[in-house]
């Protein structure tokens, strides 16, 4: 923390008191709510995290990241000054010297190659304020048109696909508590047990009520352990795999024709496309046996309610938008959207 901020904080908080801050974990999309205890009654300020029981999403759960990752910020081995490479080794320098060195380098690049020679890459982990400042820094200070962030190759695929299909950005279409009422759940490239562990109990509840869980992932993960059917697709072949499932859904007629007619533009084209798919070819390129593709399509197609979750495994591809669109086609074809336990 800079001296300025430290001074500000010292003025805000009295040294001899204990504080409880209601906040939320910043480390994944679940944003689980938590209490940050700040004990300033001892010589050295102590911190502790406890879950906020009233959080309707996490239902009062926190994973190890939420409970303990704040300790990184307090670690005594964190760098506290810039390091400049001199004769192949790093030496600590003042912030003034670091800023001067950096600005001279940037100016020399831009004089030689133009303003756009510099690009800026941010992160989804930045706060709104930092993201805003980074944008200003790029456009006003550097005057470069190149600014991007890791989301481009991440959840943007889901956003793009949802925009194309529904006209709105991504997001869950149903409350998490409805997961337990889905008869079939497809987790495509979504390793919930390791990446968003605090919502895993929703899936366990669904399983306990008899839901069938299909995991699509080349790897064996903690999530695949709860699967009834694990499709170990070759990396990058998820879109083809869904097309194989679509074919079975059409051939064996698990299609919700009235929904398709009433609510889906291009439904007829989708049907004839699905019929034209060659299942042998799908088996060959995805590495998933035909009988498994058929079983997955039957489980999802025959269920009266069902949900599909895609995540980075299906989205982080050059054609990630199309892959997610294919999963959305599965949902649209069977009309499993816009009602309880579907989405
Ligand atoms: S699941 Fe874990 S990392 Fe994600 S928000 Fe909750 S506590 Fe944080």
């Amino acid at each position: 923390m800079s001296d300025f901020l430290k001074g500000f904080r010292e003025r805000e908080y009295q040294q001899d008191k204990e504080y409880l801050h209601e906040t939320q974990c910043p480390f994944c999309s679940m944003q689980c709510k938590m209490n940050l205890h700040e004990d300033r009654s001892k010589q050295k300020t102590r911190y502790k995290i406890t879950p906020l029981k009233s959080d309707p999403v996490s239902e009062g759960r926190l994973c190890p990241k939420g409970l303990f990752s704040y300790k990184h910020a307090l670690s005594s081995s964190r760098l506290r000054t810039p390091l400049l490479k001199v004769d192949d080794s790093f030496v600590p320098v003042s912030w003034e010297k670091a800023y001067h060195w950096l600005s001279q380098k940037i100016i020399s690049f831009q004089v030689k190659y133009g303003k756009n020679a510099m690009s800026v890459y941010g992160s989804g982990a930045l706060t709104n304020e930092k993201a805003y400042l980074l944008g200003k820094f790029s456009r006003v200070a550097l005057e470069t048109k190149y600014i991007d962030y890791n989301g481009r190759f991440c959840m943007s695929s889901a956003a793009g696909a949802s925009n194309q299909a529904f006209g709105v950005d991504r997001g869950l279409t149903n409350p998490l508590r409805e997961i337990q009422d889905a008869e079939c759940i497809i987790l495509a490239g979504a390793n919930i047990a390791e990446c968003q562990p605090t919502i895993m109990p929703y899936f366990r509840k669904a399983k306990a009520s008899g839901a069938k869980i299909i995991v699509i992932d080349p790897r064996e993960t903690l999530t695949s352990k709860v699967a009834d059917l694990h499709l170990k697709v070759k990396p990058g072949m998820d879109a083809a795999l869904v097309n194989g499932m679509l074919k079975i859904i059409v051939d064996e007629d698990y299609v919700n024709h009235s929904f398709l007619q009433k609510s889906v533009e291009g439904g007829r084209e989708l049907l004839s496309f699905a019929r034209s798919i060659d299942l042998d070819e799908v088996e060959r390129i995805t590495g998933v046996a035909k009988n498994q593709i058929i079983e997955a399509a039957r489980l999802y197609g025959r269920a009266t309610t069902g949900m599909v979750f895609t995540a980075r495994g299906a989205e982080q591809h050059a054609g990630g938008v199309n892959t997610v669109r294919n999963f959305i086609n599965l949902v649209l074809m069977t009309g499993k959207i816009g009602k309880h336990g579907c989405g």
Side-chain angles (χ1 to χ4, degrees):
M1 196 183 294
S2 75
D3 286 346
F4 169 74
L5 283 178
K6 211 169 168 187
F8 181 73
R9 220 170 138 68
E10 296 308 325
R11 282 198 298 280
E12 281 275 290
Y13 296 101
Q14 289 179 19
Q15 198 48 45
D16 53 349
K17 285 198 167 172
E18 288 183 43
Y19 294 91
L20 189 67
H21 310 278
E22 226 176 72
T23 182
Q24 61 196 54
C25 174
F27 294 117
C28 90
S29 52
M30 291 302 108
Q31 307 269 294
C32 303
K33 300 252 184 333
M34 52 167 60
N35 291 307
L36 168 62
H37 304 255
E38 185 174 18
D39 180 358
R40 294 175 156 255
S41 63
K42 315 271 174 346
Q43 204 178 8
K44 194 169 172 224
T45 306
R46 287 164 198 246
Y47 298 93
K48 196 175 126 197
I49 301 279
T50 55
L52 197 69
K53 299 280 179 224
S54 58
D55 179 7
V57 173
S58 71
E59 298 177 328
R61 294 178 285 268
L62 285 177
C63 79
K65 257 195 289 183
L67 282 170
F68 305 115
S69 289
Y70 72 95
K71 294 196 173 187
H72 299 169
L74 306 172
S75 164
S76 57
S77 57
R78 274 177 76 102
L79 291 179
R80 290 179 190 271
T81 81
L83 300 175
L84 185 65
K85 204 174 223 178
V86 179
D87 297 333
D88 276 347
S89 45
F90 284 115
V91 289
V93 293
S94 68
W95 283 101
E96 288 70 23
K97 185 162 180 180
Y99 282 134
H100 182 73
W101 184 93
L102 193 58
S103 58
Q104 291 309 305
K105 281 280 177 207
I106 291 172
I107 290 166
S108 71
F109 282 140
Q110 290 190 315
V111 164
K112 204 163 166 192
Y113 302 109
K115 298 280 190 194
N116 290 328
M118 291 299 301
S119 64
V120 173
Y121 200 71
S123 154
L126 296 181
T127 59
N128 284 347
E129 291 79 4
K130 286 178 192 166
Y132 176 82
L133 272 180
L134 203 64
K136 282 283 180 210
F137 174 69
S138 312
R139 296 184 188 100
V140 179
L142 296 179
E143 296 180 65
T144 175
K145 62 180 178 183
Y146 294 119
I147 175 167
D148 208 339
Y149 89 120
N150 59 336
R152 168 83 56 204
F153 203 47
C154 186
M155 70 292 279
S156 297
S157 298
S162 287
N163 253 332
Q164 288 176 8
F166 306 119
V168 289
D169 197 338
R170 75 208 145 89
L172 292 174
T173 60
N174 297 55
L176 291 167
R177 63 177 176 278
E178 288 186 22
I179 292 171
Q180 66 189 35
D181 299 321
E183 288 176 18
C184 181
I185 296 168
I186 298 178
L187 297 171
N191 184 6
I192 307 271
E194 286 172 71
C195 301
Q196 284 103 0
T198 57
I199 62 159
M200 200 56 197
Y202 291 105
F203 295 90
R204 291 195 191 282
K205 262 190 223 162
K207 201 165 160 78
S209 324
K212 297 291 178 203
I213 297 184
I214 302 167
V215 167
I216 301 176
D217 197 319
R219 306 164 308 157
E220 281 179 9
T221 63
L222 280 180
T223 308
S224 72
K225 283 194 197 315
V226 302
D228 296 279
L229 181 62
H230 180 189
L231 306 180
K232 293 183 189 166
V233 64
K234 278 188 195 161
M237 290 299 154
D238 308 63
L241 180 64
V242 187
N243 281 343
M245 288 175 68
L246 276 179
K247 179 178 176 57
I248 305 303
I249 282 183
V250 173
D251 285 356
E252 299 192 4
D253 204 15
Y254 306 123
V255 177
N256 184 332
H257 291 281
S258 64
F259 179 83
L260 205 61
Q261 226 169 3
K262 247 193 340 216
S263 311
V264 182
E265 276 174 33
R268 209 179 301 162
E269 290 84 345
L270 189 57
L271 285 173
S272 62
F273 167 73
R275 283 191 196 103
S276 73
I277 288 161
D278 177 352
L279 206 55
D280 291 316
E281 175 70 356
V282 173
E283 179 181 59
R284 191 184 65 74
I285 62 177
T286 62
V288 179
K290 259 193 300 188
N291 63 340
Q292 286 200 315
I293 301 172
I294 294 169
E295 192 186 345
R298 284 178 180 164
L299 284 174
Y300 182 74
R302 286 174 180 165
T304 50
T305 53
M307 288 177 139
V308 178
F309 293 81
T310 67
R312 301 307 96 81
E315 295 159 6
Q316 279 188 346
H317 301 285
V321 174
N322 287 341
T323 304
V324 179
R325 288 269 332 238
N326 281 13
F327 279 104
I328 292 174
N329 284 343
L330 203 60
V331 170
L332 295 177
M333 187 84 92
T334 54
K336 288 192 178 60
I337 189 158
K339 54 187 185 185
H340 189 92
C342 298

